[in-house]
Amino acid sequence: MIPDFIIRAIELGLLYSLMALGVYITFRILNFPDLTVDGSYTTGAAIAALMIINGFAPWLATLAAFGGGMAAGAVTGLLHTKGKINGLLSGILMMVALYSINMRIMGTPNVSLLRETTLFTNISPMIFMIIVVILVKILLDAFLKTDLGLALRATGDNPRMISSLGANTDTAKIIGVSLSNGLVACSGAFVAQQSGFADINGGVGMIVIGLASVIIGEAIFGRMTVFRATLAAILGSVIYRIVVSLALRVEFLEASDVKLITAVIVVIALVFPSIGRSWSEKKTARKRSAELSREVPERA
Amino acid sequence: MLKLSRVYKVFNAGTPNEKIALTDINLHLKPGDFVTVIGSNGAGKSTMLNLAAGTMRPDAGELRIEDKLVNSLPEHKRSRWIARVFQDPMAGTAPHMTIEENLAMAYKRGQMRGLRFGVTRAKRDMFREQLSRLGIGLEDRLRAQVGLLSGGERQALSLLMATFTKPKILLLDEHTAALDPSRAELITRLTDQLVREQQLTTMMVTHNMEQAIRLGNRLIMMDKGKIILDIGPEQKATLTVERLLHEFEQISGTKLSDDRVVLG
């Protein structure tokens, strides 16, 4: 039997996996470390919560959250490309600005959805999210193979080349950052509906969690093809939640230690592959030189 | 096809580092012309190419492509007419994407990029056929990541990507300079073959005099931001490296001593 807390972790991982996909788009495809995520996640939660308590259908609220996230991402993209503001800084600016905007949307720091009808009122989050995540993955994989998607990937991979082939890299970046934050906001909307509230500080640290998911996924599943890379982001998100829930079962650790655990996980996932690589290189070199000294002993 | 009229370009104008890159450049490429451009470092060859491509704008003068004034068109909008191959073999291809994906992007040169699949079965067959013309076995590696190819292979791919959509103008920026002699020879041969087959209007910057004489129907020599020598098809057929060096000394009054101008 799978313990209950693991099931809950998988469920959470799936809820947050759309955010991981969003971070994958900016961080890996566009090569653009976008910090808007911390703000746009909350924007998604805020829009969905506000619309639901005002009687809109939950699916419509979630769709609106996606749109809100896309708008926020588009502004970050515009600041960076047209305003020529450094990528990190434009993300930070937008993240700060979104705090006030999110407050305006919600009106109070916390909106409760406990008695409202949400997406998860009639269906378990697990089943629902499995369907949604598979759908989103298929759509995203397909998009990244279209002409526009190829231009988007090339914008991160070799901007000079794709520009000489006639694609506008500014537009590609804006589209990418926008799509990314749309997915992030979707995650925010899902989590708000699952947990029963939206909080103004709900998005704090989201970018690191997104990075952790992407990096863990890549370390385990690789990223040679689009199919693998998106799968890695999704499963990375699930594994991250499992690791955190396992860590929190250690008596000594408290809930507030989650951020520290996250940071440590990211560091391990970043450092470990390169240590492993140099280790295996050394091993091959040792083996090879041993072979050589056997073959030509007199030269030594 | 491509016309530069009274083009000037100065870098760092008004500062102690002011450098006059181009002075009163007049150049007219007719359809099917293959012009090779030589000259020592700082002569303005690359600047001229960059102005044509749209990565830089002229300070004064006119740039026309097919009689259309393109002075203010950015690079990505000129790509409808202009294809480029860069000196750096890494510059012309996207390393983390496959050969077929790179070709699919080049296939869409200058067109709207929409939500249709970039690589379709029909396109894949076409890519395979095009790649086989290079004769280096890339047609069997359509799904290989371009980053795994050697510099020569990547440059051959760049060349194919630049030419197979029949651009109006092909700009080659010392595209064999970063390769070893045998690879450079391969790319030179492919360049000749591809340009000839499609009768592309081409401008090639090179440091290699032998290559500049061997390829194309017209040769231009530049010095200190000016075109100092313009040799047409008849004279070019009998041109030798010695005659070229002699001409240079006659005109500029100095010996061509820059060791980056290689003889052959």
Side-chain angles (χ1 to χ4, degrees):
Chain A
M1 269 310 284
I2 306 169
D4 204 34
F5 76 95
I6 297 281
I7 303 271
R8 274 204 308 277
I10 295 173
E11 189 181 289
L12 266 184
L14 290 171
L15 286 162
Y16 283 102
S17 64
L18 295 193
M19 179 192 68
L21 286 174
V23 171
Y24 162 71
I25 292 175
T26 47
F27 183 60
R28 280 307 186 208
I29 296 184
L30 290 176
N31 205 2
F32 177 97
D34 175 30
L35 300 188
T36 316
V37 170
D38 277 24
S40 60
Y41 174 88
T42 312
T43 306
I47 292 175
L50 188 85
M51 283 182 71
I52 288 171
I53 59 170
N54 280 301
F56 286 95
W59 65 268
L60 195 65
T62 310
L63 212 61
F66 181 69
M70 283 192 76
V75 175
T76 305
L78 281 169
L79 288 176
H80 174 54
T81 56
K82 304 299 177 196
K84 311 256 185 267
I85 300 175
N86 167 292
L88 269 177
L89 187 56
S90 31
I92 293 172
L93 285 171
M94 203 51 207
M95 174 180 87
V96 171
L98 281 174
Y99 183 89
S100 303
I101 294 171
N102 295 336
M103 203 60 194
R104 283 273 177 188
I105 295 171
M106 297 205 295
T108 62
N110 196 298
V111 176
S112 170
L113 294 170
L114 281 179
R115 288 196 195 88
E116 307 290 338
T117 309
T118 71
L119 285 172
F120 306 121
T121 305
N122 295 317
I123 183 168
S124 93
M126 182 72 106
I127 295 166
F128 181 84
M129 284 316 295
I130 288 176
I131 297 167
V132 168
V133 168
I134 289 176
L135 259 175
V136 170
K137 175 174 160 48
I138 290 172
L139 283 174
L140 184 61
D141 285 0
F143 170 70
L144 291 173
K145 291 194 166 106
T146 62
D147 287 317
L148 185 62
L150 290 178
L152 204 81
R153 287 160 61 198
T155 298
D157 205 16
N158 188 346
R160 191 173 166 203
M161 165 252 191
I162 193 66
S163 180
S164 83
L165 292 177
N168 187 337
T169 50
D170 284 358
T171 312
K173 275 185 198 157
I174 295 168
I175 292 173
V177 179
S178 179
L179 181 63
S180 159
N181 282 290
L183 288 171
V184 171
C186 253
S187 252
F190 285 140
V191 174
Q193 294 178 63
Q194 186 257 1
S195 61
F197 67 93
D199 188 275
I200 188 70
N201 290 318
V204 174
M206 275 305 145
I207 179 66
V208 183
I209 294 174
L211 286 177
S213 308
V214 170
I215 293 165
I216 294 170
E218 279 175 357
I220 299 174
F221 304 100
R223 55 164 164 147
M224 279 298 272
T225 62
V226 169
F227 179 87
R228 272 199 151 193
T230 52
L231 186 72
I234 293 166
L235 295 182
S237 169
V238 172
I239 292 169
Y240 165 79
R241 290 291 159 185
I242 293 174
V243 172
V244 168
S245 71
L246 282 173
L248 285 180
R249 291 176 76 80
V250 179
E251 293 236 343
F252 164 71
L253 294 169
E254 292 171 17
S256 61
D257 293 331
V258 168
K259 306 245 191 257
L260 179 64
I261 297 169
T262 309
V264 171
I265 292 172
V266 173
V267 171
I268 291 173
L270 281 176
V271 172
F272 195 72
S274 72
I275 290 179
R277 222 173 299 129
S278 78
W279 206 67
S280 81
E281 263 172 23
K282 273 184 203 149
K283 209 170 116 189
T284 323
R286 255 203 313 276
K287 214 171 98 189
R288 194 76 193 102
S289 47
E291 275 172 20
L292 281 174
S293 62
R294 260 203 308 281
E295 282 166 24
V296 273
E298 59 272 29
R299 268 182 70 188
Chain B
M1 186 59 74
L2 174 69
K3 197 170 182 182
L4 284 75
S5 322
R6 310 211 58 143
V7 168
Y8 290 80
K9 180 75 188 174
V10 180
F11 292 122
N12 307 317
T15 72
N17 294 324
E18 182 173 286
K19 179 167 182 343
I20 297 168
L22 293 176
T23 309
D24 194 18
I25 294 287
N26 292 285
L27 180 66
H28 184 192
L29 267 67
K30 294 182 200 69
D33 264 1
F34 184 167
V35 181
T36 56
V37 184
I38 55 171
S40 46
N41 281 342
K45 308 180 300 291
S46 294
T47 308
M48 189 163 80
L49 215 67
N50 284 331
L51 287 178
T55 46
M56 290 177 190
R57 287 183 189 190
D59 296 336
E62 281 189 351
L63 271 158
R64 287 178 183 276
I65 298 174
E66 288 190 312
D67 279 335
K68 186 181 176 340
L69 189 68
V70 295
N71 274 26
S72 55
L73 276 189
E75 182 191 18
H76 66 266
K77 287 195 177 148
R78 286 189 208 181
S79 68
R80 195 171 352 143
W81 305 287
I82 295 181
R84 274 187 101 172
V85 181
F86 304 98
Q87 177 178 1
D88 179 1
M90 307 300 145
T93 45
H96 293 107
M97 298 171 75
T98 62
I99 292 179
E100 60 182 15
E101 284 170 340
N102 272 275
L103 282 162
M105 291 188 283
Y107 184 76
K108 277 276 168 185
R109 165 188 305 287
Q111 295 177 38
M112 272 290 292
R113 288 162 204 269
L115 294 177
R116 288 168 199 273
F117 279 113
V119 181
T120 59
R121 189 166 299 165
K123 278 195 209 166
R124 191 172 285 138
D125 289 341
M126 193 264 282
F127 294 159
R128 195 171 286 127
E129 189 203 316
Q130 292 284 342
L131 283 167
S132 67
R133 293 166 60 199
L134 298 177
I136 51 175
L138 290 185
E139 62 273 20
D140 303 322
R141 300 167 70 188
L142 278 177
R143 290 175 198 227
Q145 286 211 344
V146 170
L148 300 172
L149 306 184
S150 71
E153 287 169 333
R154 279 182 78 166
Q155 203 63 332
L157 180 62
S158 305
L159 193 62
L160 184 68
M161 284 166 60
T163 54
F164 83 128
T165 52
K166 293 195 181 145
K168 299 276 186 212
I169 297 161
L170 175 65
L171 301 176
L172 306 170
D173 189 1
E174 296 184 48
H175 68 308
T176 63
L179 303 173
D180 68 64
S182 69
R183 293 286 114 183
E185 175 55 32
L186 169 76
I187 300 297
T188 307
R189 201 165 43 73
L190 284 173
T191 305
D192 193 35
Q193 176 198 334
L194 294 171
V195 170
R196 233 181 252 275
E197 280 172 9
Q198 322 239 29
Q199 302 194 326
L200 300 173
T201 309
T202 305
M203 182 150 74
M204 176 175 86
V205 168
T206 179
H207 270 295
N208 183 325
M209 288 207 179
E210 193 272 332
Q211 187 187 43
I213 291 169
R214 195 171 112 206
L215 295 181
N217 63 349
R218 191 171 158 196
L219 185 146
I220 284 173
M221 187 183 265
M222 293 184 74
D223 190 46
K224 300 190 186 88
K226 288 188 182 127
I227 295 177
I228 56 168
L229 196 62
D230 190 342
I231 297 171
E234 293 91 37
Q235 288 169 283
K236 190 165 181 301
T238 59
L239 195 65
T240 60
V241 171
E242 291 73 28
R243 283 246 332 262
L244 205 53
L245 286 172
H246 183 70
E247 290 273 5
F248 180 84
E249 283 163 33
Q250 292 269 305
I251 298 166
S252 68
T254 55
K255 263 203 179 305
L256 197 60
S257 56
D258 190 334
D259 55 9
R260 275 215 64 203
V261 181
V262 276
L263 302 179

